[in-house]
């Protein structure tokens, strides 16, 4: 049975804040938005053109549930270029967004309610929602500010049991922007091999790192044994509304997920997949340009938040989020987020990302430098 109350708690927080911000705007209040986790740039023209061309060519019918051959081949090359190995086409699955890949993966590997899933907390809310939806054993592991919000392999080891079925890694991470170190990922991969569990590696922000280098745990077994590599187009190519993602997994797991896709959605949209081909094979300058811009914004928001009384903020190494500690304001995350919203600043309470997000806020800096400047001035005026 699905516990909708638990799902409401874990899944809908972001949309509640959005609704409240919109209601205030309807009343005529000016709101500066830092709550939404999507790029503020438009989808590059050549990607949109590829979708338009596909529509004009009437590429509008059903396609294979696992994805079109052309996009699978392009994903195969992408994995070779970015992770250094070539998966077989049978290891590749095209998805209607990476988010759905979390569900399909856990649905495919969890076989009974005793199976436990380890995942980072605070973390991307879908992880906890899916674990609860499947009635699997919930092993949310705290990621700590003193470890710069990186999952610690020792904390993982402490939470292992004979029922551990999978662990979810997410680097660069939402909501903290942390990037795991190669040695930490390798230690977790060793644990997975020794104790025989899967690793779902959510690498949706893999092209979005700053000083720290991105390392994919998929290289350990080339996704043949136990690693499921999940990536997509939403963040790097500004394609959140297109709903397009992909994953690489052991063939027997892909086979299961393929069945689930064909039952649930038949296939991923045909002409959107053509846009995906253009995204991966076309010019990549927009990603480089966006990262230069994101770095400027990151530096500005981190510096600004550290000047606010009661706030302290680490410098994230990836993605486009900051996760300041606000415990010294004396407010809870929810109180602080509500207070800021009533003063025209929309951000998210850390608790949306799990109970260990208490004491923190999440700001997305996927917005203009001018908005960041104005927002920081306003927050300083409130607290200083
Ligand atoms: C860590 C993480 N994984 C997956 C997703 C979902 O991406 P998609 O838009 O491809 O479904 C997000 C979106 O915010 C995310 O932050």
């Amino acid at each position: 049975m699905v516990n909708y109350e638990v799902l409401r708690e874990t899944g809908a927080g972001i949309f509640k804040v959005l609704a409240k911000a919109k209601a205030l705007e309807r009343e005529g209040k000016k709101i500066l938005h830092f709550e939404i986790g999507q790029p503020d740039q438009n989808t590059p023209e050549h990607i949109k053109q590829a979708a338009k061309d596909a529509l004009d060519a009437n590429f509008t019918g059903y396609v294979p549930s696992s994805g079109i051959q052309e996009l699978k081949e392009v994903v195969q090359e992408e994995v070779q270029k970015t992770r250094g190995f070539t998966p077989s086409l049978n290891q590749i699955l095209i998805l209607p967004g990476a988010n759905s890949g979390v569900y399909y993966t856990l649905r495919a590997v969890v076989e009974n309610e005793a199976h436990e899933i380890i995942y980072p907390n605070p973390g991307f809310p879908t992880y906890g929602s899916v674990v609860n939806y499947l009635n699997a054993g919930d092993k949310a592991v705290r990621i700590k500010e003193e470890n710069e919000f990186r999952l610690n392999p020792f904390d993982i080891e402490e939470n292992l049991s004979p029922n551990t079925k999978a662990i979810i890694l997410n680097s660069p991470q939402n909501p903290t922007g942390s990037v795991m170190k190669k040695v930490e990922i390798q230690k977790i991969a060793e644990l997975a091999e020794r104790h025989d569990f899967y690793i779902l590696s959510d690498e949706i922000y893999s092209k979005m790192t700053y000083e720290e280098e991105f390392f994919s745990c998929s290289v350990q077994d080339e996704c043949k044994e136990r690693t499921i590599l999940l990536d997509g187009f939403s963040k790097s190519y500004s394609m959140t509304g297109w709903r397009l993602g992909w994953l690489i997994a052991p063939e027997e797991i892909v086979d299961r997920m393929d069945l689930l896709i064909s039952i649930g959605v038949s296939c991923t949209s045909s002409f959107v997949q053509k846009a995906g081909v253009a995204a991966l094979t076309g010019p990549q300058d927009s990603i480089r340009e966006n990262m230069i811009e994101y770095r400027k914004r990151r530096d500005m928001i981190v510096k600004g938040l550290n000047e606010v009384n009661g706030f302290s903020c680490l410098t994230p190494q990836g993605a486009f989020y900051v996760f300041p500690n606000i415990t010294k304001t004396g407010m809870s995350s929810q109180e602080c987020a509500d207070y800021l919203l009533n003063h025209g600043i929309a951000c998210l309470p850390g608790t949306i990302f799990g109970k260990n997000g208490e004491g923190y806020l999440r700001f997305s800096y996927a917005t203009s430098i001018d908005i960041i400047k104005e927002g920081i001035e306003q927050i300083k005026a409130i607290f200083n």
Side-chain angles (χ1 to χ4, degrees), residues 62 65 68-69 79 81 124 148 153 163 168 180 231 244 246 266 270 283 293 328 332 344 349:
Y62 291 124
S65 49
I68 61 172
Q69 174 91 1
V79 175
K81 258 191 283 179
F124 181 49
E148 293 169 326
N163 288 323
I168 304 177
M180 289 187 69
D231 204 337
L244 188 62
W246 52 268
S266 303
S270 51
E293 179 61 24
K328 293 208 171 107
S332 71

Side-chain angles (χ1 to χ4, degrees), residues 102-103 105-108 110 112-113 129-136:
V102 176
Y103 168 73
T105 299
L106 296 187
R107 177 74 281 182
V110 170
N112 62 59
E113 290 181 9
S129 298
V130 174
V131 169
N132 281 299
Y133 172 71
L134 296 176
N135 279 320

Side-chain angles (χ1 to χ4, degrees), residues 64-67 72 88-95 104-105 107-109 198 223-224 228 247-264 266:
S65 49
S66 65
K72 283 195 195 175
S88 77
L89 291 180
N90 292 337
Q91 283 181 275
I92 302 174
L93 197 60
I94 306 301
L95 302 159
Y104 290 125
T105 299
R107 177 74 281 182
V109 303
Y198 290 100
C223 300
K224 288 193 179 107
I228 294 117
L247 64 72
I248 315 294
E251 288 188 13
E252 65 281 8
I253 301 295
V254 167
D255 185 54
R256 287 185 183 184
M257 291 193 247
D258 187 11
L259 285 171
L260 296 175
I261 289 180
S262 68
I263 294 165
S266 303

Side-chain angles (χ1 to χ4, degrees), residues 97-99 124 127 170 174 202 204-205 234-235 243-244:
N99 205 5
F124 181 49
Y127 307 149
N170 176 214
N174 179 9
D202 181 346
I204 187 96
Y205 298 102
S234 287
K235 315 290 175 172
R243 311 312 305 129
L244 188 62

Side-chain angles (χ1 to χ4, degrees), residues 81-288:
K81 258 191 283 179
T82 55
R83 276 80 168 185
F85 68 95
T86 307
S88 77
L89 291 180
N90 292 337
Q91 283 181 275
I92 302 174
L93 197 60
I94 306 301
L95 302 159
N99 205 5
S100 68
V102 176
Y103 168 73
Y104 290 125
T105 299
L106 296 187
R107 177 74 281 182
V109 303
V110 170
E111 283 158 344
N112 62 59
E113 290 181 9
H115 281 163
E116 294 169 353
I117 308 296
I118 296 177
Y119 62 97
N121 182 311
F124 181 49
T126 292
Y127 307 149
S129 298
V130 174
V131 169
N132 281 299
Y133 172 71
L134 296 176
N135 279 320
D138 186 324
K139 287 277 181 177
V141 170
R142 180 161 174 241
I143 53 167
K144 299 170 190 151
E145 188 174 353
E146 52 273 31
N147 197 39
E148 293 169 326
F149 297 120
R150 298 188 311 271
L151 256 184
N152 184 333
F154 296 108
D155 294 337
I156 304 299
E157 201 158 8
E158 266 182 11
N159 278 279
L160 291 178
S161 87
N163 288 323
T164 304
K165 193 65 187 179
I167 175 171
I168 304 177
L169 298 185
N170 176 214
S171 172
Q173 207 235 7
N174 179 9
T176 66
S178 68
V179 175
M180 289 187 69
K181 297 192 182 295
K182 183 174 172 181
V183 23
E184 293 166 328
I185 291 177
Q186 284 171 330
K187 276 195 184 135
I188 293 173
E190 278 165 27
L191 286 175
E193 199 178 334
R194 197 164 349 122
H195 297 273
D196 189 25
F197 57 84
Y198 290 100
I199 300 178
L200 168 58
S201 182
D202 181 346
E203 302 180 3
I204 187 96
Y205 298 102
S206 60
K207 292 187 195 239
M208 304 188 129
T209 55
Y210 303 105
E211 293 80 10
E212 192 67 48
E213 211 176 312
F214 165 74
F215 178 74
S216 172
C217 84
S218 63
V219 302
Q220 300 297 118
D221 68 346
E222 301 188 347
C223 300
K224 288 193 179 107
E225 301 276 323
R226 61 189 71 262
T227 311
I228 294 117
L229 157 56
L230 179 63
D231 204 337
F233 297 78
S234 287
K235 315 290 175 172
S236 329
Y237 297 98
S238 306
M239 291 176 71
T240 49
W242 293 72
R243 311 312 305 129
L244 188 62
W246 52 268
L247 64 72
I248 315 294
E251 288 188 13
E252 65 281 8
I253 301 295
V254 167
D255 185 54
R256 287 185 183 184
M257 291 193 247
D258 187 11
L259 285 171
L260 296 175
I261 289 180
S262 68
I263 294 165
V265 292
S266 303
C267 60
T268 301
S269 170
S270 51
F271 52 91
V272 166
Q273 295 192 51
K274 290 281 191 180
V277 171
L280 292 180
T281 55
Q284 305 293 303
D285 331 356
S286 65
I287 300 181
R288 274 188 295 275

Side-chain angles (χ1 to χ4, degrees), residues 23 28 45 151 186 210 221 239 255 280 296 308 312 326 339 347 353 364:
E45 284 306 318
L151 256 184
Q186 284 171 330
Y210 303 105
D221 68 346
M239 291 176 71
D255 185 54
L280 292 180
K296 281 190 213 149
V308 177
S312 66
I326 51 96
Y339 188 66
C347 63
F353 303 91
S364 159

